[in-house]
Amino acid sequence: MKVLPCALLASAALLSGCAGSSHPTETSSSSVHWYNPLSYSWSSALPWNWFGSSVAVSEEGVGKVTSLTAFNVEAITKGIGGDYTLRQGMGTHNGQIESYIQALQGQQVAMTFYGDSTVNKIEIADNSVGIPSDIRFGAPFSALFDKAYGHCQPGADSQHVQCKVPNSQHLEVIYQGEFSGPAGIMPADATLKQWTLSDIIWHA
């Protein structure tokens, strides 16, 4: 008859141990670091961040030039390094005068920067700048898009269209080709498939 009290005591001890293990102390829990996928910087895994060039396009800008970079030659030179010759100029856009700063490699314009107090737009037109692996100068429209609707708008003239890069908040691409219609009219998708990529644009 003494077996029953002993069994009850053993069961009580076992239950007490299990209950205690379900509430780890603050010290033990603080030493365990769980992987949280929401805290991981997924931007480093995105295809537009896979580059081989030291000056490359990203969601933040080009090289170290971002929307926080002052719009002047000195600040932009620091952001892209000394491999480029910079020159300032002025032009018109939609009837408005705007300033720009161009970065040249030799005689070739590689990048054009626009802004007011800070940089707000960069046009990339040369392969010396690292670009996303799925975007190539000279690539056909069909390499990125099946259709223009929802992605593109007419460009500066009837020979150009401007399209938002899929899965990007700050990158756009310009395609050029032959079109006999008036400016402001989007060419048919069948026509656009023959057009090729001529410029990449980053905007703040």
Side-chain angles (χ1 to χ4, degrees):
M1 298 299 292
K2 292 182 181 180
V3 175
L4 184 58
C6 292
L8 288 174
L9 288 173
S11 298
L14 179 61
L15 289 173
S16 175
C18 292
S21 65
S22 66
H23 298 283
T25 64
E26 186 176 345
T27 302
S28 62
S29 64
S30 63
S31 63
V32 178
H33 301 281
W34 297 99
Y35 167 68
N36 181 3
L38 296 179
S39 66
Y40 179 75
S41 178
W42 289 104
S43 62
S44 61
L46 295 173
W48 54 77
N49 285 330
W50 301 344
F51 305 104
S53 172
S54 58
V55 178
V57 185
S58 71
E59 281 291 278
E60 288 72 36
V62 175
K64 295 181 180 179
V65 177
T66 70
S67 60
L68 300 178
T69 302
F71 182 62
N72 60 57
V73 169
E74 181 180 0
I76 292 174
T77 299
K78 289 181 179 179
I80 62 174
D83 294 335
Y84 299 90
T85 301
L86 271 64
R87 68 183 181 190
Q88 292 180 279
M90 299 186 73
T92 58
H93 179 69
N94 293 331
Q96 301 292 321
I97 297 176
E98 63 179 1
S99 299
Y100 61 80
I101 297 173
Q102 291 180 325
L104 294 83
Q105 276 210 330
Q107 301 299 315
Q108 181 72 31
V109 176
M111 295 171 280
T112 303
F113 299 82
Y114 300 89
D116 294 312
S117 58
T118 59
V119 175
N120 57 35
K121 186 174 76 170
I122 307 170
E123 294 180 354
I124 301 96
D126 187 75
N127 280 318
S128 67
V129 182
I131 59 176
S133 59
D134 57 347
I135 300 176
R136 305 185 319 278
F137 289 107
F141 177 87
S142 56
L144 274 182
F145 303 98
D146 295 323
K147 58 183 180 180
Y149 181 78
H151 303 286
C152 306
Q153 61 184 6
D157 54 43
S158 63
Q159 311 301 311
H160 296 83
V161 296
Q162 187 167 326
C163 308
K164 295 180 178 179
V165 173
N167 302 316
S168 173
Q169 298 295 317
H170 301 278
L171 296 179
E172 298 183 359
V173 287
I174 294 178
Y175 292 92
Q176 65 179 10
E178 296 297 326
F179 179 56
S180 57
I185 300 298
M186 181 66 67
D189 292 334
T191 300
L192 289 175
K193 287 182 179 180
Q194 308 302 318
W195 287 28
T196 56
L197 194 152
S198 61
D199 294 272
I200 301 169
I201 296 175
W202 173 90
H203 60 82

